[in-house]
Amino acid sequence: RATSEGEPLRAYAPSMGQIFLRRFQLVTQFRSALESGQVSVHYQPKVALPSRQVIGAEALVRWKHPEFGRVDPDEFVPAVEATGLVDVLTDFVMDKALERVSRWIDRGLRMSIAVNLSVRTLADEEFPNRVAAALTKHQVPPELLTFELTESGVMADPERALPVLRRLHTMGVVLAVDDFGTGYSSLAYLRQLPVDEVKIDKSFVLGMGTDLGDMAVVRSIVELGHSLSLTVVAEGVEDDAARDQLVSMGCDVAQGYLISRPLSEERFEAWLRARTVQ
Ligand code: C2E
Ligand code: CA
Ligand code: CA
Ligand code: CA
């Protein structure tokens, strides 16, 4: 063997073929992974500023693959998105998420849940009907459901996405622009979208402590959002300094490791109990 002959060990770098094969396996195995319980939904709390009151959570999908281990959503969501299967993913996450909200309602808690939407879903004119059916099934009022969409997702096909967004908005569902500041960020466009919330991309929030440019971007998104009467959410809040800065800027909501990492259903509930007992 080459290595035993003294050739230095190289860091494992997958070839294009291996990357392609893995992607192919992820896509073909996704549906059975859902059915066999490998896929779950984690929850990351969102808190109001400056009160720190928990106002809800973002639902984030997780896949524990028997061979590959934990597969990052940044890898499998785009792969699944490229197929018709993304509807199955969105419906799965929405169902779990609304079930959570209905449990909270049963306990007298009024908290909302945010679900990420992919580009494909925004082009599906049947989607608002499925949302209405899911809200009815779980007896959840529409204002407790938020959809997070990326600007690039909307911009990819605005002719198709806009009617879907308008219908969701008319139903009373809350719409948020995710990763704000990274895409086209057209101010004029934001005004035309039926959105209620902007989520400042975590890259700016993470950079705020060391980069004055990032700080300026965050400050201007807060001002822009408020001038359009939108709720402004900061994600990627990792330390007290960032939170204090956001409070001084008047940012409405914070999400990030400072408050909590995304947690499994059970751990989220335990976190919530410990927090409300205080
Ligand atoms: P996203 O929607 O921008 O979600 C926020 C990501 O930031 C999450 O990564 C979250 O774990 C991470 N994060 C949260 N707080 C912090 C922090 O303080 N610091 C840092 N460095 N990171 C933080 P995650 O869970 O790996 O998800 C990655 C992306 O995958 C999401 O980005 C979203 O675009 C996509 N995704 C996740 N779940 C779903 C889903 O159910 N459907 C769709 N379509 N996409 C999803
Ligand atoms: Ca998101
Ligand atoms: Ca984001
Ligand atoms: Ca992202």
Side-chain angles (χ1 to χ4, degrees):
R1 286 227 178 134
T3 43
S4 56
E5 304 289 332
E7 188 185 288
L9 277 166
R10 294 215 185 91
Y12 171 74
S15 67
M16 284 306 287
Q18 284 166 318
I19 292 171
F20 183 82
L21 179 64
R22 174 165 157 142
R23 197 180 158 101
F24 178 78
Q25 286 175 304
L26 290 177
V27 170
T28 52
Q29 294 168 359
F30 184 69
R31 193 185 286 269
S32 66
L34 272 182
E35 283 158 6
S36 63
Q38 291 168 27
V39 180
S40 65
V41 179
H42 280 205
Y43 299 88
Q44 186 177 35
K46 288 182 175 181
V47 299
L49 294 177
S51 72
R52 304 188 199 183
Q53 191 194 338
V54 185
I55 56 161
E58 177 175 6
L60 294 156
V61 71
R62 294 288 178 266
W63 185 351
K64 213 168 163 197
H65 191 279
E67 183 187 337
F68 305 138
R70 269 189 57 166
V71 186
D72 198 355
D74 278 328
E75 178 181 8
F76 75 84
V77 172
V80 168
E81 234 164 37
T83 70
L85 278 176
V86 75
D87 289 348
V88 182
L89 167 70
T90 305
D91 291 358
F92 173 83
V93 175
M94 178 166 63
D95 189 65
K96 294 277 181 208
L98 291 178
E99 188 184 305
R100 245 353 42 233
V101 181
S102 75
R103 298 282 171 82
W104 295 334
I105 292 173
D106 290 345
R107 302 210 308 263
L109 296 171
R110 193 181 158 82
M111 302 198 307
S112 73
I113 200 87
V115 172
N116 291 283
L117 285 193
S118 82
V119 196
R120 284 268 185 141
T121 308
L122 286 174
D124 181 359
E125 60 207 4
E126 276 303 307
F127 181 64
N129 295 334
R130 301 209 303 278
V131 175
L135 288 168
T136 305
K137 175 186 169 192
H138 294 287
Q139 301 272 291
V140 169
E143 66 272 17
L144 294 184
L145 175 63
T146 299
F147 285 122
E148 297 188 359
L149 34 122
T150 57
E151 290 172 280
S152 49
V154 178
M155 295 298 281
D157 196 351
E159 307 286 296
R160 293 189 73 177
L162 270 173
V164 172
L165 293 180
R166 288 205 189 97
R167 270 197 64 201
L168 292 170
H169 203 243
T170 305
M171 284 163 56
V173 170
V174 179
L175 299 178
V177 180
D178 203 351
D179 301 347
F180 193 77
T182 57
Y184 298 76
S185 296
S186 152
L187 203 159
Y189 200 77
L190 188 63
R191 268 192 57 206
Q192 287 164 32
L193 288 178
V195 295
D196 313 279
E197 189 178 300
V198 274
K199 244 182 136 167
I200 308 170
D201 190 70
K202 60 176 175 286
S203 60
F204 304 112
V205 180
L206 291 171
M208 220 170 35
T210 49
D211 187 320
L212 287 175
D214 285 338
M215 173 89 87
V217 170
V218 172
R219 192 187 303 279
S220 47
I221 297 175
V222 174
E223 282 165 14
L224 164 69
H226 286 165
S227 70
L228 296 173
S229 308
L230 303 172
T231 302
V232 182
V233 181
E235 63 176 16
V237 182
E238 291 191 355
D239 51 44
D240 290 323
R243 192 208 36 229
D244 294 347
Q245 277 295 340
L246 290 162
V247 167
S248 75
M249 291 174 186
C251 182
D252 306 293
V253 178
Q255 179 183 346
Y257 297 164
L258 173 70
I259 298 115
S260 169
R261 289 187 174 255
L263 302 169
S264 68
E265 200 174 282
E266 298 75 22
R267 296 187 66 190
F268 182 87
E269 293 305 332
W271 179 89
L272 201 58
R273 269 194 299 277
R275 182 126 177 154
T276 36
V277 159
Q278 283 169 13

